[in-house]
Amino acid sequence: MAFTLRCIDVSDWKTFGLLQLVIDTIPDPIFVKDRQHRWIACNPGFCGLIGQRYEDLIGRSDPDYWPKAQAEVFWSYDDVVFNSGEPSENEESATGSDGVARTIWTRKFPMKNEQGQVVGLCGLITDITDLKQRHMEAERIAAENREQRAIIQMQAELLDRVAMPVIQVWEGILLIPLVGEMSDRRASQALESLLAAIGQRRAEFVILDITGVPVIDSAVARHLVRAVQAAELLGCRSVMVGIGPEIARTLVGLGIDFGRITTQGTLQSGLAYAMSRLSGQRAAAR
């Protein structure tokens, strides 16, 4: 709903004086203009903003005190109110008498006579310079945080790939050393890398070395089982090495079925087992 102010007859000094007293009590800058963009009333807050005395402002207009480009913007927004008869509010830039550029939020309301014709406007200004700067600073910090999170994510993914390489240690034998805590994401990446390597190198054995995994929970154990099952579907058998006493007790307590997984105590024994079986299979095939 549009808010309008009725035109005040300035010849009625008693009424005008009361109006002036009211707007003088408001700290934010307030001004009143006629249709020629001339100030016909203002309050001390407006005088302070421009840095001029009241008597020097009345009857004058924006180009007398503001930079030309800013005055043209102010007048263009005046014309929107004059022509539409509706309130308008805009964010604007204003350079005060001290030469400091401020960001202001200006609300302008049409003043109408008894016939409903727009004869002027009343403007209220709020200095939002500090608020704008805080908002921009918050946006800058948020953008930096997003960028940092993206960098951290990329670094984590790179470290995951480096920390979980798939190495061909012998013809037909792959090794995947698992190091550090295993999250669902890392386990999925390891499985993806493993399956791709099996397909590319036509591996017949894969050695899963969990020596560097400090903790194995039920989720990690299930990922290991799925890795073994997926490898078998590609015709590749699995050997798990590096199971210490603590992890062995954990696996037993979790009740995970490792019946289909061959285990060896060390990487050396695991590699020897895989090479022996591989040689036997190839000899039998010949």
Side-chain angles (χ1 to χ4, degrees), residues 203-267:
E204 299 178 59
F205 276 88
V206 59
I207 300 174
L208 302 172
D209 186 358
I210 63 172
T211 305
V213 179
V215 178
I216 288 194
D217 57 18
S218 58
V220 174
R222 283 192 291 270
H223 281 302
L224 292 174
V225 172
R226 281 197 291 269
V228 170
Q229 293 172 342
E232 286 183 349
L233 292 176
L234 297 177
C236 182
R237 298 179 60 184
S238 301
V239 180
M240 186 178 297
V241 301
I243 300 177
E246 289 297 327
I247 290 182
R249 280 194 292 269
T250 300
L251 295 177
V252 172
L254 292 173
I256 304 295
D257 182 14
F258 278 82
R260 302 172 64 181
I261 303 177
T262 300
T263 61
Q264 293 289 324
T266 65
L267 175 58

Side-chain angles (χ1 to χ4, degrees), residues 105-233:
W105 186 256
T106 306
R107 290 153 290 168
K108 296 178 179 179
F109 305 91
M111 296 195 310
K112 299 180 181 180
N113 60 19
E114 294 297 331
Q115 291 72 42
Q117 299 170 326
V118 178
V119 295
L121 62 80
C122 178
L124 291 84
I125 295 175
T126 302
D127 188 338
I128 61 170
T129 304
D130 292 342
L131 179 63
K132 182 79 171 181
Q133 290 176 345
R134 288 196 296 269
H135 179 69
M136 293 175 63
E137 180 66 12
E139 288 187 335
R140 182 189 66 79
I141 292 174
E144 288 180 354
N145 288 339
R146 288 193 297 270
E147 183 178 356
Q148 289 175 354
R149 287 196 297 269
I151 292 174
I152 291 172
Q153 177 69 20
M154 288 188 294
Q155 290 175 339
E157 293 175 355
L158 177 61
L159 288 174
D160 287 344
R161 290 193 293 270
V162 172
M164 295 183 295
V166 180
I167 306 167
Q168 183 166 341
V169 294
W170 198 262
E171 184 181 355
I173 302 176
L174 300 178
L175 166 66
I176 178 167
L178 302 178
V179 180
E181 295 183 2
M182 296 295 296
S183 63
D184 285 344
R185 178 174 57 84
R186 295 192 71 215
S188 297
Q189 288 179 338
L191 176 59
E192 182 179 342
S193 299
L194 174 61
L195 297 181
I198 292 173
Q200 292 171 358
R201 301 171 187 177
R202 298 181 180 180
E204 299 178 59
F205 276 88
V206 59
I207 300 174
L208 302 172
D209 186 358
I210 63 172
T211 305
V213 179
V215 178
I216 288 194
D217 57 18
S218 58
V220 174
R222 283 192 291 270
H223 281 302
L224 292 174
V225 172
R226 281 197 291 269
V228 170
Q229 293 172 342
E232 286 183 349
L233 292 176

Side-chain angles (χ1 to χ4, degrees), residues 34-77:
D34 61 17
R35 286 294 299 255
Q36 285 70 48
H37 304 277
R38 295 174 301 199
W39 296 307
I40 60 175
C42 64
N43 71 343
F46 188 71
C47 295
L49 176 65
I50 299 184
Q52 298 293 329
R53 299 179 303 171
Y54 178 90
E55 53 268 27
D56 293 330
L57 293 175
I58 300 305
R60 309 296 288 272
S61 190
D62 301 282
D64 296 321
Y65 299 105
W66 300 112
K68 181 175 183 296
Q70 293 179 6
E72 290 176 350
V73 171
F74 299 157
W75 276 28
S76 68
Y77 289 140

